[in-house]
Amino acid sequence: MDVDPEIILPCLDEADALPVVLAALPAGWPVLVVDNGSTDGTAEIARALGARVVSEPRRGYGAAVHAGLEAARSELVAVLDGDGS
């Protein structure tokens, strides 16, 4: 299978963690950050670091993951916690 994977990061107020998490991801893999109502600049930091960002106003990890799957551009995705855990 020759498909470029996409990494989905559901995030709620992860501005402090995102720089470290994004730097640790495999080079060249597209990253989709799903902002789940952050108030700390998570979306802006993610964009500045090269991630594509979508918003999901419905609160909850499941809602954020679902929004990421719907917005993904690849058939192959990985879902990782936005705080690096």
Short mmCIF file of all heavy atoms in Angstrom, two decimals:
data_model
loop_
_atom_site.label_atom_id
_atom_site.label_comp_id
_atom_site.label_asym_id
_atom_site.label_seq_id
_atom_site.Cartn_x
_atom_site.Cartn_y
_atom_site.Cartn_z
N MET A 1 0.84 -1.16 0.00
CA MET A 1 0.00 0.00 0.00
C MET A 1 0.90 1.24 0.00
O MET A 1 1.76 1.39 0.86
CB MET A 1 -0.89 -0.03 1.23
CG MET A 1 -1.68 1.23 1.36
SD MET A 1 -3.23 1.19 2.24
CE MET A 1 -2.96 0.67 3.85
N ASP A 2 0.67 2.12 -0.95
CA ASP A 2 1.48 3.32 -1.08
C ASP A 2 0.62 4.54 -0.77
O ASP A 2 0.21 5.26 -1.67
CB ASP A 2 2.07 3.39 -2.49
CG ASP A 2 3.11 4.49 -2.61
OD1 ASP A 2 3.66 4.90 -1.58
OD2 ASP A 2 3.36 4.92 -3.75
N VAL A 3 0.35 4.75 0.52
CA VAL A 3 -0.49 5.85 0.96
C VAL A 3 0.28 6.66 2.00
O VAL A 3 0.87 6.10 2.92
CB VAL A 3 -1.80 5.31 1.60
CG1 VAL A 3 -2.64 6.44 2.13
CG2 VAL A 3 -2.58 4.47 0.61
N ASP A 4 0.27 7.97 1.84
CA ASP A 4 0.90 8.83 2.83
C ASP A 4 -0.01 8.90 4.06
O ASP A 4 -1.18 9.24 3.94
CB ASP A 4 1.11 10.23 2.27
CG ASP A 4 2.15 10.26 1.18
OD1 ASP A 4 3.06 9.42 1.21
OD2 ASP A 4 2.05 11.13 0.30
N PRO A 5 0.51 8.58 5.24
CA PRO A 5 -0.30 8.64 6.46
C PRO A 5 -0.51 10.07 6.92
O PRO A 5 0.24 10.97 6.55
CB PRO A 5 0.53 7.86 7.47
CG PRO A 5 1.93 8.03 6.99
CD PRO A 5 1.86 8.11 5.50
N GLU A 6 -1.51 10.26 7.73
CA GLU A 6 -1.79 11.56 8.33
C GLU A 6 -1.95 11.34 9.84
O GLU A 6 -2.56 10.38 10.28
CB GLU A 6 -3.08 12.14 7.74
CG GLU A 6 -3.37 13.54 8.17
CD GLU A 6 -4.48 14.19 7.34
OE1 GLU A 6 -5.16 13.49 6.56
OE2 GLU A 6 -4.66 15.40 7.48
N ILE A 7 -1.40 12.25 10.61
CA ILE A 7 -1.48 12.15 12.07
C ILE A 7 -2.53 13.13 12.56
O ILE A 7 -2.48 14.32 12.25
CB ILE A 7 -0.12 12.47 12.72
CG1 ILE A 7 0.93 11.46 12.24
CG2 ILE A 7 -0.24 12.46 14.24
CD1 ILE A 7 2.33 11.79 12.65
N ILE A 8 -3.49 12.60 13.32
CA ILE A 8 -4.55 13.42 13.90
C ILE A 8 -4.25 13.63 15.37
O ILE A 8 -4.04 12.68 16.12
CB ILE A 8 -5.92 12.74 13.73
CG1 ILE A 8 -6.26 12.56 12.24
CG2 ILE A 8 -7.01 13.53 14.44
CD1 ILE A 8 -7.49 11.72 11.98
N LEU A 9 -4.24 14.90 15.78
CA LEU A 9 -4.01 15.27 17.18
C LEU A 9 -5.23 16.01 17.72
O LEU A 9 -5.41 17.20 17.43
CB LEU A 9 -2.78 16.18 17.32
CG LEU A 9 -1.42 15.61 16.97
CD1 LEU A 9 -0.37 16.70 17.03
CD2 LEU A 9 -1.07 14.49 17.91
N PRO A 10 -6.11 15.34 18.45
CA PRO A 10 -7.20 16.04 19.12
C PRO A 10 -6.61 16.88 20.25
O PRO A 10 -5.82 16.36 21.05
CB PRO A 10 -8.09 14.93 19.68
CG PRO A 10 -7.54 13.65 19.15
CD PRO A 10 -6.15 13.91 18.69
N CYS A 11 -6.96 18.16 20.33
CA CYS A 11 -6.32 19.04 21.30
C CYS A 11 -7.32 19.94 22.00
O CYS A 11 -8.21 20.52 21.37
CB CYS A 11 -5.30 19.95 20.61
SG CYS A 11 -3.86 19.10 19.97
N LEU A 12 -7.13 20.08 23.30
CA LEU A 12 -7.84 21.07 24.10
C LEU A 12 -6.81 21.71 25.02
O LEU A 12 -6.29 21.06 25.93
CB LEU A 12 -8.96 20.42 24.92
CG LEU A 12 -9.69 21.35 25.88
CD1 LEU A 12 -10.34 22.51 25.13
CD2 LEU A 12 -10.71 20.59 26.69
N ASP A 13 -6.49 22.95 24.73
CA ASP A 13 -5.51 23.71 25.52
C ASP A 13 -4.16 23.00 25.63
O ASP A 13 -3.67 22.73 26.73
CB ASP A 13 -6.08 24.04 26.90
CG ASP A 13 -7.26 24.99 26.83
OD1 ASP A 13 -7.28 25.84 25.91
OD2 ASP A 13 -8.16 24.90 27.67
N GLU A 14 -3.57 22.72 24.48
CA GLU A 14 -2.28 22.03 24.42
C GLU A 14 -1.17 22.92 23.85
O GLU A 14 -0.18 22.42 23.31
CB GLU A 14 -2.40 20.76 23.58
CG GLU A 14 -3.39 19.75 24.09
CD GLU A 14 -3.03 19.16 25.45
OE1 GLU A 14 -1.93 19.42 25.97
OE2 GLU A 14 -3.86 18.41 25.98
N ALA A 15 -1.30 24.23 23.98
CA ALA A 15 -0.30 25.15 23.42
C ALA A 15 1.10 24.88 23.95
O ALA A 15 2.07 24.97 23.19
CB ALA A 15 -0.70 26.60 23.70
N ASP A 16 1.23 24.56 25.22
CA ASP A 16 2.56 24.32 25.79
C ASP A 16 3.17 23.02 25.29
O ASP A 16 4.38 22.94 25.09
CB ASP A 16 2.49 24.29 27.32
CG ASP A 16 2.21 25.66 27.92
OD1 ASP A 16 2.44 26.67 27.24
OD2 ASP A 16 1.75 25.70 29.08
N ALA A 17 2.35 22.00 25.09
CA ALA A 17 2.85 20.68 24.69
C ALA A 17 3.10 20.56 23.19
O ALA A 17 3.98 19.80 22.76
CB ALA A 17 1.88 19.59 25.13
N LEU A 18 2.34 21.27 22.38
CA LEU A 18 2.41 21.08 20.92
C LEU A 18 3.80 21.22 20.30
O LEU A 18 4.15 20.39 19.45
CB LEU A 18 1.44 22.01 20.21
CG LEU A 18 0.05 21.46 19.98
CD1 LEU A 18 -0.82 22.49 19.26
CD2 LEU A 18 0.06 20.16 19.21
N PRO A 19 4.59 22.21 20.64
CA PRO A 19 5.91 22.30 20.01
C PRO A 19 6.74 21.04 20.20
O PRO A 19 7.39 20.56 19.26
CB PRO A 19 6.56 23.51 20.68
CG PRO A 19 5.40 24.37 21.07
CD PRO A 19 4.33 23.39 21.50
N VAL A 20 6.72 20.46 21.38
CA VAL A 20 7.48 19.25 21.66
C VAL A 20 6.89 18.05 20.93
O VAL A 20 7.61 17.26 20.32
CB VAL A 20 7.54 18.99 23.19
CG1 VAL A 20 8.22 17.67 23.49
CG2 VAL A 20 8.25 20.13 23.90
N VAL A 21 5.57 17.94 20.98
CA VAL A 21 4.90 16.81 20.32
C VAL A 21 5.13 16.84 18.82
O VAL A 21 5.50 15.84 18.21
CB VAL A 21 3.39 16.81 20.65
CG1 VAL A 21 2.65 15.76 19.83
CG2 VAL A 21 3.16 16.56 22.13
N LEU A 22 4.93 17.99 18.21
CA LEU A 22 5.10 18.09 16.75
C LEU A 22 6.54 17.83 16.33
O LEU A 22 6.78 17.22 15.29
CB LEU A 22 4.60 19.45 16.25
CG LEU A 22 3.09 19.67 16.35
CD1 LEU A 22 2.73 21.08 15.94
CD2 LEU A 22 2.33 18.66 15.51
N ALA A 23 7.49 18.27 17.13
CA ALA A 23 8.90 18.05 16.80
C ALA A 23 9.27 16.57 16.86
O ALA A 23 10.21 16.13 16.20
CB ALA A 23 9.79 18.85 17.74
N ALA A 24 8.54 15.80 17.64
CA ALA A 24 8.85 14.37 17.82
C ALA A 24 8.21 13.48 16.75
O ALA A 24 8.55 12.30 16.67
CB ALA A 24 8.39 13.91 19.20
N LEU A 25 7.34 14.03 15.94
CA LEU A 25 6.65 13.22 14.94
C LEU A 25 7.54 12.97 13.72
O LEU A 25 8.45 13.75 13.45
CB LEU A 25 5.36 13.93 14.51
CG LEU A 25 4.32 14.10 15.62
CD1 LEU A 25 3.12 14.88 15.10
CD2 LEU A 25 3.89 12.76 16.18
N PRO A 26 7.26 11.90 12.98
CA PRO A 26 8.07 11.60 11.80
C PRO A 26 8.05 12.75 10.78
O PRO A 26 6.99 13.30 10.49
CB PRO A 26 7.41 10.36 11.20
CG PRO A 26 6.64 9.75 12.33
CD PRO A 26 6.21 10.90 13.19
N ALA A 27 9.20 13.09 10.27
CA ALA A 27 9.30 14.16 9.28
C ALA A 27 8.51 13.80 8.03
O ALA A 27 8.51 12.65 7.59
CB ALA A 27 10.76 14.38 8.92
N GLY A 28 7.82 14.78 7.50
CA GLY A 28 7.10 14.60 6.25
C GLY A 28 5.68 14.08 6.40
O GLY A 28 4.93 14.08 5.43
N TRP A 29 5.29 13.64 7.58
CA TRP A 29 3.92 13.17 7.77
C TRP A 29 3.03 14.38 8.02
O TRP A 29 3.31 15.19 8.91
CB TRP A 29 3.83 12.22 8.94
CG TRP A 29 4.38 10.86 8.69
CD1 TRP A 29 5.38 10.52 7.83
CD2 TRP A 29 3.97 9.64 9.32
NE1 TRP A 29 5.62 9.18 7.90
CE2 TRP A 29 4.77 8.62 8.80
CE3 TRP A 29 3.03 9.33 10.27
CZ2 TRP A 29 4.63 7.29 9.20
CZ3 TRP A 29 2.89 8.02 10.67
CH2 TRP A 29 3.68 7.01 10.13
N PRO A 30 1.94 14.52 7.29
CA PRO A 30 1.04 15.64 7.54
C PRO A 30 0.35 15.48 8.89
O PRO A 30 0.02 14.38 9.32
CB PRO A 30 0.04 15.58 6.39
CG PRO A 30 0.18 14.23 5.79
CD PRO A 30 1.52 13.69 6.17
N VAL A 31 0.16 16.61 9.57
CA VAL A 31 -0.47 16.62 10.88
C VAL A 31 -1.74 17.45 10.82
O VAL A 31 -1.74 18.57 10.31
CB VAL A 31 0.49 17.20 11.95
CG1 VAL A 31 -0.20 17.30 13.30
CG2 VAL A 31 1.75 16.36 12.04
N LEU A 32 -2.81 16.88 11.37
CA LEU A 32 -4.09 17.57 11.48
C LEU A 32 -4.39 17.74 12.96
O LEU A 32 -4.58 16.77 13.68
CB LEU A 32 -5.20 16.75 10.81
CG LEU A 32 -6.62 17.25 10.98
CD1 LEU A 32 -6.77 18.66 10.40
CD2 LEU A 32 -7.60 16.29 10.35
N VAL A 33 -4.41 18.98 13.41
CA VAL A 33 -4.77 19.28 14.79
C VAL A 33 -6.25 19.62 14.82
O VAL A 33 -6.72 20.46 14.06
CB VAL A 33 -3.94 20.46 15.34
CG1 VAL A 33 -4.50 20.98 16.65
CG2 VAL A 33 -2.49 20.03 15.53
N VAL A 34 -6.98 18.92 15.68
CA VAL A 34 -8.40 19.21 15.87
C VAL A 34 -8.52 20.00 17.16
O VAL A 34 -8.32 19.48 18.25
CB VAL A 34 -9.25 17.93 15.94
CG1 VAL A 34 -10.73 18.29 16.10
CG2 VAL A 34 -9.04 17.07 14.70
N ASP A 35 -8.81 21.29 17.02
CA ASP A 35 -8.94 22.17 18.18
C ASP A 35 -10.34 22.02 18.75
O ASP A 35 -11.32 22.28 18.07
CB ASP A 35 -8.66 23.61 17.78
CG ASP A 35 -8.71 24.55 18.96
OD1 ASP A 35 -8.48 24.09 20.09
OD2 ASP A 35 -8.99 25.74 18.75
N ASN A 36 -10.41 21.59 19.99
CA ASN A 36 -11.68 21.26 20.63
C ASN A 36 -12.13 22.36 21.59
O ASN A 36 -12.64 22.08 22.67
CB ASN A 36 -11.54 19.91 21.34
CG ASN A 36 -12.86 19.23 21.63
OD1 ASN A 36 -12.95 18.53 22.62
ND2 ASN A 36 -13.87 19.40 20.81
N GLY A 37 -11.92 23.62 21.18
CA GLY A 37 -12.38 24.74 21.99
C GLY A 37 -11.30 25.34 22.87
O GLY A 37 -11.59 25.93 23.91
N SER A 38 -10.06 25.25 22.45
CA SER A 38 -8.94 25.77 23.23
C SER A 38 -9.04 27.28 23.42
O SER A 38 -9.52 27.99 22.54
CB SER A 38 -7.62 25.44 22.54
OG SER A 38 -7.46 24.05 22.42
N THR A 39 -8.52 27.73 24.56
CA THR A 39 -8.48 29.16 24.84
C THR A 39 -7.06 29.66 25.05
O THR A 39 -6.85 30.81 25.43
CB THR A 39 -9.30 29.48 26.11
OG1 THR A 39 -8.77 28.75 27.22
CG2 THR A 39 -10.77 29.13 25.92
N ASP A 40 -6.08 28.80 24.76
CA ASP A 40 -4.68 29.15 25.02
C ASP A 40 -3.84 29.36 23.77
O ASP A 40 -2.62 29.40 23.84
CB ASP A 40 -4.03 28.08 25.90
CG ASP A 40 -3.88 26.74 25.18
OD1 ASP A 40 -4.48 26.56 24.09
OD2 ASP A 40 -3.18 25.86 25.71
N GLY A 41 -4.47 29.47 22.61
CA GLY A 41 -3.71 29.68 21.38
C GLY A 41 -3.24 28.40 20.71
O GLY A 41 -2.37 28.44 19.84
N THR A 42 -3.80 27.27 21.09
CA THR A 42 -3.41 25.98 20.50
C THR A 42 -3.47 26.01 18.98
O THR A 42 -2.52 25.61 18.32
CB THR A 42 -4.32 24.85 21.04
OG1 THR A 42 -4.03 24.66 22.43
CG2 THR A 42 -4.10 23.55 20.30
N ALA A 43 -4.56 26.49 18.41
CA ALA A 43 -4.73 26.49 16.95
C ALA A 43 -3.66 27.34 16.27
O ALA A 43 -3.08 26.94 15.26
CB ALA A 43 -6.12 26.97 16.58
N GLU A 44 -3.40 28.50 16.82
CA GLU A 44 -2.42 29.41 16.21
C GLU A 44 -1.01 28.81 16.25
O GLU A 44 -0.26 28.89 15.28
CB GLU A 44 -2.43 30.76 16.92
CG GLU A 44 -3.71 31.55 16.73
CD GLU A 44 -4.88 31.10 17.61
OE1 GLU A 44 -4.67 30.27 18.55
OE2 GLU A 44 -6.00 31.56 17.36
N ILE A 45 -0.66 28.20 17.37
CA ILE A 45 0.65 27.56 17.49
C ILE A 45 0.77 26.40 16.52
O ILE A 45 1.78 26.23 15.85
CB ILE A 45 0.92 27.13 18.94
CG1 ILE A 45 1.14 28.38 19.80
CG2 ILE A 45 2.10 26.17 19.04
CD1 ILE A 45 1.20 28.12 21.28
N ALA A 46 -0.28 25.59 16.43
CA ALA A 46 -0.26 24.45 15.51
C ALA A 46 -0.05 24.92 14.08
O ALA A 46 0.77 24.36 13.34
CB ALA A 46 -1.57 23.67 15.63
N ARG A 47 -0.77 25.96 13.67
CA ARG A 47 -0.60 26.49 12.30
C ARG A 47 0.82 27.01 12.10
O ARG A 47 1.43 26.77 11.06
CB ARG A 47 -1.61 27.61 12.04
CG ARG A 47 -2.99 27.13 11.76
CD ARG A 47 -3.92 28.29 11.36
NE ARG A 47 -5.29 27.86 11.39
CZ ARG A 47 -6.13 28.05 12.41
NH1 ARG A 47 -5.72 28.72 13.48
NH2 ARG A 47 -7.36 27.61 12.35
N ALA A 48 1.32 27.74 13.07
CA ALA A 48 2.67 28.30 12.96
C ALA A 48 3.73 27.21 12.83
O ALA A 48 4.78 27.44 12.23
CB ALA A 48 2.97 29.19 14.17
N LEU A 49 3.44 26.03 13.37
CA LEU A 49 4.39 24.92 13.31
C LEU A 49 4.11 23.99 12.13
O LEU A 49 4.71 22.92 12.03
CB LEU A 49 4.37 24.14 14.62
CG LEU A 49 4.87 24.94 15.83
CD1 LEU A 49 4.62 24.18 17.12
CD2 LEU A 49 6.35 25.26 15.67
N GLY A 50 3.20 24.39 11.23
CA GLY A 50 2.99 23.66 10.00
C GLY A 50 1.85 22.66 9.98
O GLY A 50 1.66 21.96 8.98
N ALA A 51 1.08 22.59 11.04
CA ALA A 51 -0.05 21.66 11.07
C ALA A 51 -1.28 22.30 10.42
O ALA A 51 -1.45 23.51 10.46
CB ALA A 51 -0.39 21.27 12.50
N ARG A 52 -2.09 21.46 9.83
CA ARG A 52 -3.41 21.89 9.37
C ARG A 52 -4.32 21.82 10.58
O ARG A 52 -4.20 20.93 11.41
CB ARG A 52 -3.89 20.95 8.25
CG ARG A 52 -5.18 21.37 7.60
CD ARG A 52 -5.42 20.59 6.30
NE ARG A 52 -5.56 19.16 6.50
CZ ARG A 52 -6.73 18.52 6.56
NH1 ARG A 52 -7.87 19.19 6.46
NH2 ARG A 52 -6.76 17.21 6.72
N VAL A 53 -5.25 22.77 10.70
CA VAL A 53 -6.10 22.84 11.88
C VAL A 53 -7.56 22.88 11.46
O VAL A 53 -7.93 23.61 10.54
CB VAL A 53 -5.78 24.10 12.73
CG1 VAL A 53 -6.72 24.22 13.92
CG2 VAL A 53 -4.33 24.07 13.19
N VAL A 54 -8.38 22.08 12.14
CA VAL A 54 -9.83 22.18 12.03
C VAL A 54 -10.37 22.35 13.44
O VAL A 54 -9.74 21.97 14.42
CB VAL A 54 -10.47 20.93 11.35
CG1 VAL A 54 -10.00 20.80 9.92
CG2 VAL A 54 -10.20 19.66 12.13
N SER A 55 -11.55 22.94 13.53
CA SER A 55 -12.18 23.17 14.83
C SER A 55 -13.34 22.21 15.02
O SER A 55 -14.07 21.92 14.06
CB SER A 55 -12.70 24.61 14.92
OG SER A 55 -11.63 25.51 14.88
N GLU A 56 -13.51 21.76 16.24
CA GLU A 56 -14.65 20.94 16.62
C GLU A 56 -15.25 21.55 17.89
O GLU A 56 -14.68 21.43 18.97
CB GLU A 56 -14.25 19.49 16.88
CG GLU A 56 -15.37 18.61 17.38
CD GLU A 56 -16.64 18.72 16.56
OE1 GLU A 56 -16.63 18.31 15.38
OE2 GLU A 56 -17.64 19.22 17.09
N PRO A 57 -16.39 22.23 17.74
CA PRO A 57 -16.98 22.91 18.90
C PRO A 57 -17.62 21.97 19.91
O PRO A 57 -17.75 22.33 21.09
CB PRO A 57 -18.02 23.84 18.28
CG PRO A 57 -18.36 23.21 16.97
CD PRO A 57 -17.11 22.51 16.51
N ARG A 58 -18.03 20.77 19.48
CA ARG A 58 -18.61 19.81 20.44
C ARG A 58 -17.49 19.28 21.31
O ARG A 58 -16.53 18.70 20.81
CB ARG A 58 -19.30 18.65 19.72
CG ARG A 58 -20.50 19.07 18.89
CD ARG A 58 -21.01 17.93 18.05
NE ARG A 58 -19.93 17.53 17.10
CZ ARG A 58 -19.87 16.37 16.49
NH1 ARG A 58 -20.79 15.46 16.69
NH2 ARG A 58 -18.88 16.09 15.65
N ARG A 59 -17.61 19.46 22.62
CA ARG A 59 -16.56 19.06 23.54
C ARG A 59 -16.47 17.54 23.65
O ARG A 59 -17.46 16.83 23.54
CB ARG A 59 -16.79 19.64 24.93
CG ARG A 59 -16.48 21.12 25.04
CD ARG A 59 -14.97 21.36 24.92
NE ARG A 59 -14.65 22.75 24.95
CZ ARG A 59 -14.13 23.37 26.00
NH1 ARG A 59 -13.88 22.72 27.10
NH2 ARG A 59 -13.84 24.63 25.93
N GLY A 60 -15.26 17.08 23.88
CA GLY A 60 -15.01 15.67 24.14
C GLY A 60 -14.01 15.07 23.17
O GLY A 60 -13.95 15.44 22.00
N TYR A 61 -13.24 14.13 23.70
CA TYR A 61 -12.21 13.46 22.90
C TYR A 61 -12.82 12.75 21.69
O TYR A 61 -12.31 12.84 20.58
CB TYR A 61 -11.45 12.48 23.80
CG TYR A 61 -10.24 11.86 23.14
CD1 TYR A 61 -9.05 12.57 23.07
CD2 TYR A 61 -10.28 10.59 22.60
CE1 TYR A 61 -7.92 12.02 22.48
CE2 TYR A 61 -9.15 10.03 22.02
CZ TYR A 61 -7.99 10.74 21.96
OH TYR A 61 -6.87 10.20 21.37
N GLY A 62 -13.93 12.05 21.91
CA GLY A 62 -14.57 11.33 20.81
C GLY A 62 -15.03 12.25 19.70
O GLY A 62 -14.87 11.94 18.52
N ALA A 63 -15.59 13.39 20.06
CA ALA A 63 -16.03 14.35 19.05
C ALA A 63 -14.83 14.89 18.27
O ALA A 63 -14.91 15.05 17.04
CB ALA A 63 -16.79 15.51 19.71
N ALA A 64 -13.73 15.15 18.96
CA ALA A 64 -12.53 15.66 18.29
C ALA A 64 -11.93 14.61 17.37
O ALA A 64 -11.52 14.93 16.24
CB ALA A 64 -11.50 16.13 19.32
N VAL A 65 -11.87 13.37 17.81
CA VAL A 65 -11.35 12.30 16.95
C VAL A 65 -12.24 12.14 15.72
O VAL A 65 -11.74 12.03 14.59
CB VAL A 65 -11.23 10.97 17.72
CG1 VAL A 65 -10.92 9.81 16.78
CG2 VAL A 65 -10.15 11.07 18.79
N HIS A 66 -13.54 12.12 15.93
CA HIS A 66 -14.47 11.98 14.80
C HIS A 66 -14.29 13.10 13.79
O HIS A 66 -14.25 12.85 12.57
CB HIS A 66 -15.92 11.94 15.31
CG HIS A 66 -16.91 11.72 14.23
ND1 HIS A 66 -17.64 12.74 13.69
CD2 HIS A 66 -17.28 10.58 13.57
CE1 HIS A 66 -18.42 12.26 12.73
NE2 HIS A 66 -18.21 10.96 12.65
N ALA A 67 -14.18 14.33 14.27
CA ALA A 67 -13.96 15.47 13.37
C ALA A 67 -12.65 15.30 12.60
O ALA A 67 -12.58 15.62 11.40
CB ALA A 67 -13.95 16.77 14.16
N GLY A 68 -11.63 14.79 13.26
CA GLY A 68 -10.35 14.56 12.58
C GLY A 68 -10.45 13.50 11.51
O GLY A 68 -9.91 13.66 10.41
N LEU A 69 -11.16 12.43 11.80
CA LEU A 69 -11.34 11.39 10.80
C LEU A 69 -12.13 11.91 9.60
O LEU A 69 -11.83 11.58 8.45
CB LEU A 69 -12.03 10.17 11.41
CG LEU A 69 -11.21 9.41 12.44
CD1 LEU A 69 -12.08 8.36 13.13
CD2 LEU A 69 -9.98 8.78 11.81
N GLU A 70 -13.14 12.73 9.87
CA GLU A 70 -13.93 13.31 8.78
C GLU A 70 -13.10 14.26 7.92
O GLU A 70 -13.30 14.35 6.71
CB GLU A 70 -15.15 14.05 9.35
CG GLU A 70 -16.21 13.15 9.93
CD GLU A 70 -16.94 12.35 8.87
OE1 GLU A 70 -17.21 12.87 7.79
OE2 GLU A 70 -17.26 11.16 9.15
N ALA A 71 -12.18 14.99 8.54
CA ALA A 71 -11.37 15.99 7.82
C ALA A 71 -10.09 15.41 7.22
O ALA A 71 -9.43 16.08 6.41
CB ALA A 71 -11.01 17.14 8.76
N ALA A 72 -9.74 14.20 7.59
CA ALA A 72 -8.48 13.60 7.11
C ALA A 72 -8.49 13.49 5.59
O ALA A 72 -9.52 13.23 4.97
CB ALA A 72 -8.28 12.23 7.74
N ARG A 73 -7.33 13.67 5.03
CA ARG A 73 -7.16 13.58 3.57
C ARG A 73 -6.53 12.27 3.14
O ARG A 73 -6.37 12.02 1.96
CB ARG A 73 -6.30 14.74 3.10
CG ARG A 73 -6.94 16.09 3.32
CD ARG A 73 -6.02 17.21 2.91
NE ARG A 73 -6.66 18.50 3.09
CZ ARG A 73 -6.02 19.65 3.13
NH1 ARG A 73 -4.70 19.67 3.01
NH2 ARG A 73 -6.67 20.77 3.29
N SER A 74 -6.16 11.45 4.10
CA SER A 74 -5.49 10.19 3.81
C SER A 74 -6.37 9.01 4.21
O SER A 74 -7.21 9.12 5.10
CB SER A 74 -4.17 10.11 4.57
OG SER A 74 -3.54 8.88 4.34
N GLU A 75 -6.15 7.89 3.55
CA GLU A 75 -6.85 6.66 3.93
C GLU A 75 -6.23 6.04 5.17
O GLU A 75 -6.86 5.24 5.85
CB GLU A 75 -6.79 5.65 2.78
CG GLU A 75 -7.57 6.07 1.56
CD GLU A 75 -7.45 5.05 0.45
OE1 GLU A 75 -7.27 3.85 0.73
OE2 GLU A 75 -7.55 5.46 -0.72
N LEU A 76 -5.00 6.40 5.46
CA LEU A 76 -4.27 5.85 6.60
C LEU A 76 -4.01 6.98 7.60
O LEU A 76 -3.39 7.99 7.25
CB LEU A 76 -2.94 5.26 6.13
CG LEU A 76 -2.02 4.66 7.18
CD1 LEU A 76 -2.70 3.49 7.87
CD2 LEU A 76 -0.72 4.22 6.55
N VAL A 77 -4.51 6.82 8.82
CA VAL A 77 -4.32 7.84 9.84
C VAL A 77 -3.83 7.22 11.14
O VAL A 77 -4.02 6.03 11.39
CB VAL A 77 -5.63 8.63 10.13
CG1 VAL A 77 -6.14 9.34 8.90
CG2 VAL A 77 -6.69 7.74 10.73
N ALA A 78 -3.19 8.05 11.94
CA ALA A 78 -2.83 7.68 13.31
C ALA A 78 -3.40 8.77 14.20
O ALA A 78 -3.35 9.95 13.86
CB ALA A 78 -1.32 7.63 13.47
N VAL A 79 -3.98 8.37 15.32
CA VAL A 79 -4.52 9.33 16.28
C VAL A 79 -3.64 9.30 17.52
O VAL A 79 -3.41 8.24 18.10
CB VAL A 79 -5.98 8.98 16.65
CG1 VAL A 79 -6.51 9.96 17.68
CG2 VAL A 79 -6.87 8.97 15.41
N LEU A 80 -3.12 10.47 17.87
CA LEU A 80 -2.24 10.59 19.04
C LEU A 80 -2.78 11.70 19.96
O LEU A 80 -3.35 12.68 19.48
CB LEU A 80 -0.83 10.96 18.61
CG LEU A 80 -0.15 10.02 17.62
CD1 LEU A 80 1.16 10.62 17.15
CD2 LEU A 80 0.09 8.67 18.26
N ASP A 81 -2.57 11.55 21.24
CA ASP A 81 -2.98 12.59 22.17
C ASP A 81 -2.14 13.84 21.96
O ASP A 81 -0.92 13.76 21.77
CB ASP A 81 -2.82 12.12 23.62
CG ASP A 81 -3.87 11.09 24.00
OD1 ASP A 81 -4.89 10.98 23.28
OD2 ASP A 81 -3.69 10.41 25.01
N GLY A 82 -2.80 14.99 21.99
CA GLY A 82 -2.12 16.25 21.75
C GLY A 82 -1.13 16.66 22.82
O GLY A 82 -0.29 17.52 22.59
N ASP A 83 -1.19 15.99 23.97
CA ASP A 83 -0.24 16.33 25.04
C ASP A 83 0.99 15.42 25.05
O ASP A 83 1.84 15.55 25.91
CB ASP A 83 -0.92 16.30 26.41
CG ASP A 83 -1.40 14.92 26.81
OD1 ASP A 83 -1.21 13.95 26.04
OD2 ASP A 83 -1.98 14.81 27.89
N GLY A 84 1.05 14.50 24.10
CA GLY A 84 2.21 13.64 23.99
C GLY A 84 2.18 12.42 24.88
O GLY A 84 3.13 11.66 24.92
N SER A 85 1.08 12.21 25.60
CA SER A 85 1.02 11.04 26.48
C SER A 85 0.76 9.75 25.72
O SER A 85 0.39 9.75 24.59
CB SER A 85 -0.07 11.23 27.55
OG SER A 85 -1.35 11.29 26.96
#
